[in-house]
């Protein structure tokens, strides 16, 4: 117990020293404030961006809202289609044989690679982002649901079968619940991928969102806004991931494999 | 995480049949869509795409042929990936092995960890300018946190009993590190290498789309900008293929180096 | 009393004097060992027998240098023990093989970290691998071996480091009964061929009687010496001889009585 208090203290001191050193380097001009704005400056910019639309035509809140909406929409569509597809591929053999080659073809293409095509189809609005994020979350959701079902222990299925369960009942009462931890792993990978591809898509072409905000700020040389944007992207990514972990703990019983 | 390979049994003929059926259905729908819907106004037919793919090996797109574009991207990925792997393993081992290092570094690392590598692109351009080192930096940031987390996880899950065994057999403190900590962390390092490889591959695409005039990422984007969608398709297919080859090379290496580990078999 | 007895004899291989051990945990102190006094002669096969979960492994870990004691002392050949002693080797309950090393790699680990040349340590490791009957399995990894084979590797690994004293912590606790009998015979054969001082912990009466020159019965938490039996039966022991059965009966009554209290 004592050792833990000691290390926590060291962590706090380390963090404070890091921020102070950053502030010091920037304030004294050892590192140019145009390359590394001081934390205090970043805080001011953060407050400023909450209500001000300069330089990118939107307040921080609007950008966050746009990005979250796009990311979550694409994510939910990806899960809603990927998980059932994975389950069907794992459960119905012919289904698997039919879709597998197609799936294997698109699986290795990084989601970012889809950005230009989606922009060509849907323009630079919300649709193109949602479809890229859909692909980013659809692929891991499918793969993990598939392996989750495939890894169902035979003995559990036999137990269900000897109790007289029909094929469909075995799927819904044994296979899917036992695949739940894997499905959640898939969701975690999917969410992470969604956020990354969202940022990429917004950087490449868009008119709103956090990625757009940092790209515009970069073009007009407002490095403080870039910093704030990058940090906000990190924070919201972390918030979404921990929300998902919380849900997983709540819904998956019996622990992960 | 990856799907197990289909076994070549009695069913293999059926598998092949249905697989070909699936591909044909896909190409057929693509062709029909091009012929009868608005889709065809912007998207090339399958035949045009396949022809363009083979032409790209000899006819340059932009300044280079397809293979050169891929080679350029490949070099960028490998440099950034190698740097992030080495740095990630060192920092991860340090944090996993020493509680003190963990206490000092982890809170600062936590600020960087959730930021996607791609989000560093604007900052990297402002810091370094546009050029090769910017792209390396972006790829580095893409893989770094995953390497650190996986390696640290491995070092923290060290079986302390084995450390005791080694000490009773006469191992010294520095031998404990090289003979016990390092080998038992290797499977975790490989997990990190796998995930980090796919993020690196994604980071190079994004970086090339935004800051480069060559490479597979540029190829894809230029296809869009010049309205030649077939280049776009070519770029995506080759990126996918190269990514697949790299990942399977890594898996083979893991199988060879971690023959003892249950996971790799 | 123990001390007086041994003054005139040669120095014991291991001497434990007033050895006690208390673990400090959040809920308070747990005393696991209570003033153990024990002399172990050279090349003796000593069995520590106790039905409880308490103290036996800790005692071995202390002799191995993995745990330290604040009260009492351990000396080896008259010299007080400090940290790890190259004269001590250990065989573990969980086998504790290095999963990333082959059978050969595991067995030669000790000589390797001590800087023995490759040719020499290979020769020696091969000798012990043959001795435990694993010839042909040199390049197998532990994950490919059965539980009994893993424990053979553990024994070879301990012997290959040339210790004078070998500590065995319930090495066959996880094995099935059949394998267990086989391994007991094996250990006796090896001990007969390669005489060492062995301190063997078990909670199996038959195993204790089959292997021991002397059995020390330990009491429940905290462990202290309750009774001592010197076993003079001829080796290899007949597990159904009347003397064997009588001793078995006597010890189990003793242990059951105590558990009943």
């Amino acid at each position: 117990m004592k050792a833990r208090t000691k290390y926590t203290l060291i962590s706090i001191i380390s963090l404070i020293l890091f921020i102070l050193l950053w502030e010091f380097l920037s304030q004294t001009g050892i590192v140019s404030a145009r390359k590394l704005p001081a934390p205090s400056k970043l805080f001011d910019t953060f407050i400023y961006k909450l209500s001000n639309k300069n330089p990118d035509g939107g307040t921080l809140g609007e950008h966050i809202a746009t990005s979250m909406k796009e990311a979550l929409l694409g994510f939910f569509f990806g899960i809603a289609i990927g998980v059932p597809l994975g389950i069907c591929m794992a459960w119905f053999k012919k289904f698997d044989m039919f879709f597998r080659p197609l799936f294997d073809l698109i699986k290795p293409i990084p989601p970012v690679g889809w950005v230009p095509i989606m922009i060509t189809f849907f323009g630079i609005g919300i649709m193109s982002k949602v479809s890229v994020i859909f692909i980013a979350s659809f692929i891991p959701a499918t793969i993990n649901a598939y392996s989750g079902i495939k890894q169902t222990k035979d003995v559990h299925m036999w137990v269900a079968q000897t109790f007289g369960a029909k094929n469909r009942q075995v799927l819904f009462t044994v296979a899917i619940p036992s695949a739940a931890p894997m499905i959640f792993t898939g969701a975690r990978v999917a969410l992470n991928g969604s956020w990354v591809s969202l940022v990429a898509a917004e950087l490449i072409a868009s008119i709103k969102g956090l990625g757009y905000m940092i790209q515009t700020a970069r073009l007009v040389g407002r490095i403080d806004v870039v910093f704030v944007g990058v940090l906000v992207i990190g924070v919201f990514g972390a918030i979404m991931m921990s929300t998902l972990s919380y849900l997983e703990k709540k819904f998956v019983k019996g622990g992960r494999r | 995480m990856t799907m197990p390979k289909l076994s070549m049994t009695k069913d293999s003929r059926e598998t092949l049949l249905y697989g070909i059926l699936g591909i044909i259905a896909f190409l057929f729908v693509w062709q029909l869509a091009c012929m009868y819907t608005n889709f065809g106004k912007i998207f090339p037919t399958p035949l045009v795409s396949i022809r363009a793919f083979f032409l790209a090996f000899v006819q340059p797109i932009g300044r280079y042929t397809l293979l050169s574009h891929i080679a350029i991207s490949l070099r960028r990925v490998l440099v950034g990936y190698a740097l992030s792997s080495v740095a990630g393993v060192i920092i991860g081992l340090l944090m996993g092995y020493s509680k003190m290092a963990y206490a000092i570094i982890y809170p600062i690392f936590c600020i960087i960890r959730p930021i996607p590598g791609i989000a560093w692109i604007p900052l990297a351009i402002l810091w370094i300018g546009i050029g090769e080192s910017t792209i390396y930096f972006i790829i580095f940031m893409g893989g770094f946190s995953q390497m650190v987390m996986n390696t640290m996880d491995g070092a923290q899950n060290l079986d302390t009993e084995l450390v005791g065994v080694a000490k009773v057999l006469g191992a010294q403190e520095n031998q404990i590190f090289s003979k016990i900590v390092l080998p038992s962390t290797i499977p975790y390092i490989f997990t990190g290498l796998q995930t980090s490889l796919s993020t690196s591959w994604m980071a190079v695409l994004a970086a090339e789309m935004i800051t480069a005039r060559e490479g597979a990422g540029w190829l894809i984007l230029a296809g869009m900008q010049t309205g030649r969608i077939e280049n776009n398709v070519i770029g995506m297919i080759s990126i996918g293929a190269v990514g697949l080859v790299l990942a399977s090379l890594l898996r083979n290496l893991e199988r060879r180096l971690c023959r003892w580990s249950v996971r790799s078999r | 009393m123990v001390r007086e007895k041994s003054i005139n004899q040669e120095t014991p291989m291991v001497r434990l004097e007033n050895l006690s051990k208390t673990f400090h945990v959040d809920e308070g102190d747990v005393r696991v060992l209570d003033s153990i006094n024990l002399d172990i002669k050279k090349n003796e096969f000593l069995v520590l027998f106790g039905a409880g979960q308490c103290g036996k492994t800790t005692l071995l870990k202390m002799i191995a240098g993995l745990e330290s004691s604040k009260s009492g002392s351990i000396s080896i050949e008259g010299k007080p023990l400090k940290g790890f002693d190259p004269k001590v080797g250990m065989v573990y309950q969980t086998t504790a093989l290095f999963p990333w090393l082959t059978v050969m790699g595991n067995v030669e680990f000790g000589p390797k970290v001590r800087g023995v040349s490759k040719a020499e340590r290979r020769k020696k490791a091969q000798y012990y691998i043959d001795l435990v009957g694993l010839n042909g399995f040199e390049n197998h990894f532990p994950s490919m071996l059965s539980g009994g084979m893993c424990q053979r590797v553990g024994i070879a690994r301990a012997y290959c480091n040339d210790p004078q004293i070998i500590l065995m912590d319930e090495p066959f606790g996880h094995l099935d009964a059949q394998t267990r009998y086989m391994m007991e015979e094996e250990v006796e054969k090896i001990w007969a061929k390669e005489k060492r001082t062995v301190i063997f912990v078990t909670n199996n009466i038959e195993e204790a009687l089959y292997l021991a020159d002397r059995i020390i019965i330990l009491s429940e938490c905290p462990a202290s010496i309750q009774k001592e039996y010197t076993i003079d039966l001829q080796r290899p022991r007949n597990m159904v001889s009347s003397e064997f059965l009588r001793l078995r009966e006597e010890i189990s009554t003793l242990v059951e009585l105590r558990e009943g209290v």
Side-chain angles (χ1 to χ4, degrees):
Chain A
M1 282 308 255
K2 248 182 190 168
R4 200 181 299 166
T5 330
K6 185 182 105 185
Y7 287 123
T8 313
L9 211 64
I10 290 172
S11 292
I12 295 168
I13 293 170
S14 159
L15 197 60
I16 292 172
L17 277 181
F18 174 74
I19 292 170
L20 284 181
L21 181 73
W22 179 354
E23 182 81 33
F24 172 79
L25 287 176
S26 177
Q27 291 283 1
T28 53
I30 295 173
V31 177
S32 157
R34 285 175 52 207
K35 296 258 173 190
L36 188 74
S40 56
K41 166 78 176 145
L42 291 183
F43 187 74
D44 291 344
T45 308
F46 174 73
I47 300 292
Y48 167 87
K49 268 310 284 177
L50 282 179
S51 57
N52 203 298
K53 288 179 188 291
N54 280 332
D56 42 60
T59 62
L60 189 57
E62 288 166 14
H63 289 306
I64 293 174
T66 308
S67 291
M68 292 286 276
K69 191 171 76 188
E70 291 168 347
L72 291 178
L73 262 179
F75 170 72
F76 284 126
F77 276 121
I79 298 288
I81 295 182
V83 172
L85 180 69
I87 292 172
C88 288
M89 280 171 70
W91 200 252
F92 305 109
K93 215 169 161 197
K94 300 219 160 117
F95 209 82
D96 188 16
M97 291 189 287
F98 188 78
F99 278 102
R100 175 69 79 84
L102 277 178
F103 188 78
D104 281 347
L105 206 65
I106 56 165
K107 189 177 67 175
I109 300 173
V112 176
W114 291 90
V115 172
I117 262 193
M118 293 309 178
I119 291 172
T120 316
F121 280 146
F122 302 115
I124 54 173
I126 184 166
M127 239 342 251
S128 56
K129 272 92 199 164
V130 172
S131 40
V132 169
I133 294 158
F134 166 77
I135 290 169
S137 51
F138 156 78
I139 292 169
T142 311
I143 294 176
N144 283 282
Y146 181 94
S147 344
I149 298 285
K150 283 278 173 188
Q151 284 169 16
T152 306
K153 293 204 173 68
D154 285 340
V155 61
H156 290 160
M157 301 223 258
W158 294 333
V159 169
Q161 276 159 355
T162 50
F163 280 125
K166 300 272 186 310
N167 197 26
R168 185 176 303 169
Q169 285 174 316
V170 177
L171 174 63
F172 283 101
T173 56
V174 179
I176 292 179
S178 85
M182 277 298 274
I183 292 175
F184 262 97
T185 306
R188 209 153 356 99
V189 180
L191 188 60
N192 197 30
S194 302
W195 200 230
V196 175
S197 358
L198 169 89
V199 174
E202 286 183 347
L203 277 177
I204 293 162
S206 81
I207 41 170
K208 200 141 226 179
L210 289 168
Y212 171 73
M213 181 180 111
I214 58 176
Q215 178 72 342
T216 314
R218 194 266 290 180
L219 290 171
V220 298
R222 283 289 300 272
I223 196 163
D224 54 331
V225 178
V226 179
F227 256 100
V228 169
V230 168
L231 290 173
V232 168
I233 287 170
V235 169
F236 273 85
I239 289 175
M240 288 196 293
M241 288 308 275
S242 42
T243 311
L244 193 63
S245 302
Y246 170 77
L247 289 178
E248 177 174 3
K249 267 196 207 112
K250 214 169 157 187
F251 286 114
V252 177
K253 300 184 177 80
R256 283 170 55 207
R257 255 177 272 178
Chain B
M1 293 260 280
T2 51
M3 296 188 185
K5 281 229 170 69
L6 286 171
S7 52
M8 292 296 285
T9 53
K10 217 168 97 183
D11 304 331
S12 62
R13 204 184 306 156
E14 212 181 339
T15 308
L16 197 68
L17 185 75
Y18 275 89
I20 291 172
L21 223 61
I23 298 273
I24 289 175
F26 171 72
L27 292 176
F28 192 63
V29 171
W30 180 357
Q31 180 75 32
L32 281 185
C34 285
M35 285 161 70
Y36 297 110
T37 67
N38 282 335
F39 185 79
K41 287 183 184 149
I42 39 175
F43 213 82
T45 59
L47 272 177
V48 172
S49 304
I50 292 168
R51 209 174 68 95
F53 180 75
F54 287 108
L55 263 182
F57 281 96
V58 285
Q59 269 179 14
I61 303 169
R63 285 188 283 173
Y64 303 97
T65 60
L66 178 62
L67 283 181
S68 314
H69 281 298
I70 291 174
I72 288 166
S73 298
L74 205 55
R75 193 195 64 213
R76 286 169 175 159
V77 164
L78 292 182
V79 172
Y81 177 63
L83 290 176
S84 75
S85 302
V86 171
V89 167
I90 292 173
I91 306 260
L93 280 176
L94 201 65
M95 283 208 286
Y97 192 52
S98 146
K99 284 207 173 94
M100 184 58 104
Y102 178 84
I104 294 172
I105 304 171
Y106 193 67
I108 299 167
F109 176 71
C110 273
I111 303 176
I112 304 171
R113 186 166 76 107
I115 301 172
I118 291 170
W120 292 92
I121 293 177
L123 268 184
I125 295 174
L126 284 172
W127 279 338
I128 317 173
I130 288 184
E132 288 301 287
S133 8
T134 312
I135 297 176
Y136 295 151
F137 175 79
I138 292 159
I139 299 166
F140 180 92
M141 293 313 289
F144 177 69
S145 345
Q146 280 157 337
M147 280 315 297
V148 173
M149 288 311 288
N150 279 290
T151 313
M152 186 174 85
D153 201 24
Q156 281 174 342
N157 278 321
L158 178 69
D159 186 346
T160 45
E161 187 175 22
L162 293 184
V163 175
V165 174
K167 283 183 177 165
V168 172
L169 286 170
Q172 303 299 313
E173 211 46 57
N174 57 335
Q175 288 174 315
I176 295 288
F177 186 81
S178 62
K179 294 208 178 343
I180 309 295
V181 180
L182 203 56
S184 65
T185 312
I186 280 181
Y188 292 84
I189 293 179
F190 266 101
T191 309
L193 284 174
Q194 288 279 8
T195 35
S196 149
L197 183 64
S198 62
T199 7
S200 300
W201 205 217
M202 185 134 137
V204 76
L205 273 194
E208 286 177 346
M209 285 184 187
I210 294 164
T211 74
R213 306 213 149 273
E214 65 285 302
W218 174 84
L219 192 68
I220 295 177
L221 194 77
M224 174 190 94
Q225 284 166 343
T226 57
R228 299 198 51 184
I229 302 295
E230 63 271 22
N231 289 350
N232 205 315
V233 178
I234 295 166
M236 284 168 67
I237 292 172
S238 21
I239 276 280
V242 175
L244 204 61
V245 170
L246 285 183
S248 53
L249 282 179
L250 198 61
R251 277 206 73 76
N252 274 332
L253 185 69
E254 179 180 4
R255 277 211 195 94
R256 192 161 301 174
L257 282 180
C258 300
R259 270 190 305 145
W260 55 273
S261 156
V262 182
R263 198 175 75 87
S264 69
R265 269 190 279 126
Chain C
M1 190 185 79
V2 178
R3 182 190 281 256
E4 278 170 27
K5 200 171 76 186
S6 57
I7 276 177
N8 304 325
Q9 296 172 2
E10 56 178 318
T11 351
M13 196 66 206
V14 182
R15 166 172 283 181
L16 311 177
E17 276 175 302
N18 274 321
L19 199 62
S20 298
K21 174 77 183 176
T22 304
F23 282 110
H24 306 283
V25 287
D26 288 347
E27 293 79 34
D29 292 354
V30 181
R31 195 168 177 78
V32 293
L33 279 182
D34 194 27
S35 47
I36 305 279
N37 283 296
L38 187 62
D39 278 3
I40 300 152
K41 290 190 286 287
K42 195 172 160 66
N43 295 341
E44 183 177 13
F45 201 118
L46 183 94
V47 169
L48 295 173
F49 177 85
Q53 293 302 311
C54 184
K56 293 170 292 177
T57 298
T58 309
L59 180 57
L60 286 197
K61 280 188 167 174
M62 286 166 84
I63 301 172
L66 289 166
E67 296 271 0
S68 58
S69 66
K70 287 211 176 72
S71 63
S73 73
I74 302 170
S75 47
I76 288 174
E77 288 186 317
K79 291 190 209 87
L81 178 79
K82 281 192 199 114
F84 300 100
D85 193 311
K87 290 196 195 81
V88 181
M90 187 154 173
V91 179
Y92 302 80
Q93 192 173 6
T94 52
T95 74
L97 299 181
F98 302 117
W100 55 87
L101 294 179
T102 57
V103 169
M104 176 55 87
N106 267 285
V107 176
E108 68 166 7
F109 188 89
K112 190 174 178 181
V113 293
R114 289 184 201 280
V116 176
S117 77
K118 187 167 178 173
E120 202 178 323
R121 66 173 192 253
R122 277 285 152 93
K123 204 174 125 200
K124 200 158 164 191
Q126 191 63 55
Y127 171 78
Y128 285 106
I129 289 172
D130 294 350
L131 189 71
V132 296
L134 284 179
N135 193 319
F137 289 95
E138 290 82 357
N139 294 320
H140 283 56
F141 286 99
S143 57
M144 308 168 179
L145 302 178
S146 68
M149 286 159 97
C150 280
Q151 206 47 277
R152 286 167 195 261
V153 180
I155 292 168
R157 180 174 68 180
Y159 270 93
C160 191
N161 209 24
D162 272 340
Q164 293 304 304
I165 304 149
I166 294 183
L167 312 171
M168 298 193 182
D169 181 14
E170 291 190 46
F172 311 136
H174 292 307
L175 303 181
D176 61 276
Q178 203 60 44
T179 319
R180 195 170 179 145
Y181 287 133
M182 241 163 65
M183 291 302 293
E184 285 160 15
E185 281 176 29
E186 200 77 28
V187 160
E188 186 179 35
K189 259 188 250 161
I190 295 168
W191 177 74
K193 196 165 178 196
E194 295 268 331
K195 282 279 181 187
R196 302 288 158 86
T197 310
V198 176
I199 306 177
F200 191 104
V201 162
T202 185
N203 54 16
N204 180 314
I205 300 175
E206 285 188 357
E207 189 168 88
L209 283 170
Y210 186 77
L211 292 171
D213 288 331
R214 189 153 59 113
I215 302 178
I216 306 289
I217 313 276
L218 292 173
S219 65
E220 289 275 5
C221 260
S224 61
I225 297 179
Q226 191 187 15
K227 200 160 181 187
E228 191 179 315
Y229 287 91
T230 304
I231 315 291
D232 286 329
L233 303 175
Q234 195 199 342
R235 289 174 186 271
R237 285 171 185 154
N238 179 358
M239 285 176 144
V240 287
S241 72
S242 57
E243 183 65 359
F244 191 96
L245 293 174
R246 192 192 61 75
L247 276 166
R248 195 182 81 171
E249 193 59 34
E250 189 181 328
I251 294 174
S252 49
T253 317
L254 183 76
V255 177
E256 272 163 25
L257 265 182
R258 195 179 64 210
E259 277 178 349
V261 171

